[in-house]
Amino acid sequence: MELTNRKLFFVTRNEAKEKGLDISSSEIYLLLEKTNNFKNKTELVLNFDKNHANPKYFCELKEKIFNNVPIQYVLNSAPFLDLDLYVDERVLIPRVETEDLVSRIIKMIKDKNFNHKVIADMCTGSGCIALYLKKTYPDSKVYASDISLDALDVAKSNASKANIDVEFLHGDKTEPFITLKEKIDLFVSNPPYVEKMEDIEERVKKHEPMNAIYVKDGVSFYENVFKEHKKFMNDKFFMAFEINYDQQDQLTELIAKYFDDDTEFSFVKDIFDRTRFLFILKGY
């Protein structure tokens, strides 16, 4: 039986609705696009009434989505700004909040002329932050670390795929940066910070690496950075973090404990109006 892309779209949408599944039209479009090997959604639209190239393959992937596997893992693909990253269950799926963090960093560097000669990204995961910053600042030296060798394998594959030169380091928290010969100008991190399991969606718990999300002490990674920062940061520096919505008071106390009095810091809300970013700078 001939199956056009249009027919597959409507059959899939109706089936998801009947099963009470929260599958968006955009996810079905993306599944059709990728399983037809189209370059973009425009190509799908132009071929919407033509037969699907491989309906059996489409149905195999559709069943995974119906079993609540995130579409990014099903397709092994996730966008990050204008990068197309490989992802699987070894790494977190990049979020729009992290895109926001990186965009803000770039804007602050431009507006305030922050030094970015040497950049470090702790808990790199898929490598999204480090790779985008290196792409934006090709003359900068960019280091990216993770304690997970599996995550580093994914990040390295993304660097190779995009032909972006980042130096990857294996180790826990700030440990890999302390032994560097050069000091860091810009330090960025989106570490594990959620300490309340009820804050994590069931779909995330089931499929994404919990060691990249959950931590018993939600501020432990930040405290390690704050406590050790003089060992690896330049005298003049800029630090940027993604944080949880409920950590501002704890982090303010830790900043007062570990940083000099002339250090400036600010907490910033994300696009969902939740406190999500912390910026720390000194010497500017």
Side-chain angles (χ1 to χ4, degrees):
M1 182 179 71
E2 293 183 351
L3 286 172
T4 65
N5 291 304
R6 182 184 296 277
K7 184 174 180 61
L8 278 174
F9 171 80
F10 284 107
V11 166
T12 302
R13 191 177 69 172
N14 292 337
E15 187 180 351
K17 189 179 295 185
E18 289 171 3
K19 293 183 177 183
L21 300 174
D22 184 22
I23 308 296
S24 68
S25 294
S26 61
E27 287 180 295
I28 304 173
Y29 284 132
L30 186 59
L31 193 59
L32 286 166
E33 178 189 321
K34 297 296 184 181
T35 53
N36 273 294
N37 203 27
F38 292 148
K39 295 177 182 178
N40 49 47
K41 188 176 179 181
T42 301
E43 193 172 350
L44 169 62
V45 171
L46 292 173
N47 291 276
F48 208 47
D49 288 308
K50 294 184 179 179
N51 291 338
H52 190 283
N54 191 342
K56 182 179 179 182
Y57 182 45
F58 174 89
C59 290
E60 288 175 0
L61 298 191
K62 179 196 72 174
E63 287 307 312
K64 291 183 180 181
I65 293 174
F66 278 11
N67 285 321
N68 223 20
V69 179
I71 191 167
Q72 294 91 340
Y73 289 155
V74 172
L75 300 177
N76 295 128
S77 176
F80 186 80
L81 297 167
D82 62 0
L83 290 176
D84 179 27
L85 301 175
Y86 173 90
V87 294
D88 58 31
E89 294 190 1
R90 294 175 291 174
V91 296
L92 281 182
I93 298 166
R95 265 54 172 193
V96 65
E97 294 92 335
T98 310
E99 290 181 318
D100 191 5
L101 173 64
V102 171
S103 297
R104 288 174 185 271
I105 290 169
I106 292 169
K107 185 177 187 305
M108 290 174 75
I109 289 173
K110 181 180 178 181
D111 291 347
K112 300 179 182 292
N113 197 29
F114 289 148
N115 189 17
H116 51 83
K117 183 180 178 182
V118 181
I119 299 172
D121 170 31
M122 185 184 79
C123 304
T124 196
S126 65
C128 57
I129 294 175
L131 292 173
Y132 198 82
L133 289 174
K134 178 64 176 181
K135 180 182 178 183
T136 306
Y137 306 113
D139 294 332
S140 297
K141 178 69 177 179
V142 179
Y143 296 96
S145 75
D146 208 291
I147 194 172
S148 167
L149 288 171
D150 283 340
L152 286 175
D153 282 344
V154 174
K156 288 175 183 178
S157 71
N158 279 320
S160 178
K161 173 185 173 184
N163 195 26
I164 297 174
D165 183 21
V166 168
E167 184 167 336
F168 293 99
L169 307 171
H170 177 238
D172 190 20
K173 299 185 176 74
T174 57
E175 175 187 274
F177 304 118
I178 292 173
T179 57
L180 292 178
K181 295 179 180 179
E182 52 205 332
K183 296 292 186 178
I184 295 164
D185 303 298
L186 167 60
F187 186 95
V188 189
S189 186
N190 176 22
Y193 56 64
V194 180
E195 61 181 38
K196 298 175 184 176
M197 291 298 289
E198 60 267 26
D199 284 346
I200 305 174
E201 297 177 12
E202 288 303 316
R203 188 182 190 185
V204 174
K205 290 178 185 177
K206 186 175 180 181
H207 295 286
E208 300 196 50
M210 288 302 295
N211 63 349
I213 305 169
Y214 172 79
V215 64
K216 187 175 181 181
D217 177 358
V219 298
S220 58
F221 278 78
Y222 308 105
E223 182 163 18
N224 173 258
V225 175
F226 297 175
K227 183 178 180 180
E228 305 290 343
H229 79 276
K230 290 185 178 179
K231 296 180 181 179
F232 56 85
M233 295 301 296
N234 247 327
D235 294 334
K236 186 177 181 179
F237 62 76
F238 173 36
M239 308 178 92
F241 302 90
E242 187 170 323
I243 67 172
N244 210 19
Y245 65 91
D246 58 355
Q247 295 174 332
Q248 181 169 337
D249 291 344
Q250 288 174 281
L251 292 172
T252 299
E253 291 178 6
L254 291 174
I255 290 169
K257 180 177 180 180
Y258 293 113
F259 287 92
D260 295 335
D261 292 339
D262 60 346
T263 305
E264 299 178 44
F265 66 94
S266 60
F267 294 93
V268 178
K269 292 185 176 183
D270 62 20
I271 59 174
F272 304 109
D273 201 36
R274 281 192 160 188
T275 301
R276 185 63 61 195
F277 311 121
L278 167 61
F279 299 113
I280 305 175
L281 55 136
K282 183 178 179 182
Y284 291 101

